Amino acid sequence: FGDMVETVVVKAGDNIAAYAHYNKVTKRVYQFATAKQHRRKGMATALFHYIAGDNTIPVMFVNIDGNDEASNAFLPAIGMPLVISQYEMDMML
């Protein structure tokens, strides 16, 4: 994956305030976060606008925790609809 994967960051001073780790070819976001003190300031939105680029390929997210209220509220707010949900299945052995 070497040159296909990129991490972009938004800094506040010397500190990373938000980041996203994604595949530049498929535009799949593997991981993203915004420091709590920097949320609701447009930083993560700016990251996803950067990732979307020319919008020729849709940005996708993988493995968003269904219990992560902040991410599950943020993504639809920036126009990222939930397309597929997955259920975790456990089997007692």
Side-chain angles (χ1 to χ4, degrees):
F1 296 107
D3 56 344
M4 294 188 321
V5 177
E6 180 174 62
T7 301
V8 291
V9 300
V10 175
K11 292 183 113 182
D14 291 333
N15 299 317
I16 293 175
Y19 78 92
H21 188 67
Y22 74 103
N23 184 304
K24 294 187 295 186
V25 176
T26 64
K27 297 195 180 183
R28 284 186 179 204
V29 177
Y30 302 121
Q31 211 175 51
F32 76 96
T34 303
K36 286 185 181 182
Q37 67 270 26
H38 295 293
R39 291 182 183 166
R40 304 191 63 83
K41 295 179 181 177
M43 294 179 181
T45 302
L47 287 175
F48 297 123
H49 281 285
Y50 173 82
I51 293 169
D54 60 9
N55 292 317
T56 57
I57 300 172
V59 176
M60 293 183 287
F61 296 83
V62 293
N63 297 327
I64 300 295
D65 184 347
N67 295 319
D68 182 350
E69 293 178 15
S71 294
N72 287 303
F74 168 71
L75 294 173
I78 64 166
M80 299 292 302
L82 175 64
V83 177
I84 298 173
S85 272
Q86 183 173 317
Y87 295 97
E88 223 174 289
M89 297 191 316
D90 293 326
M91 182 166 75
M92 299 300 289
L93 298 175

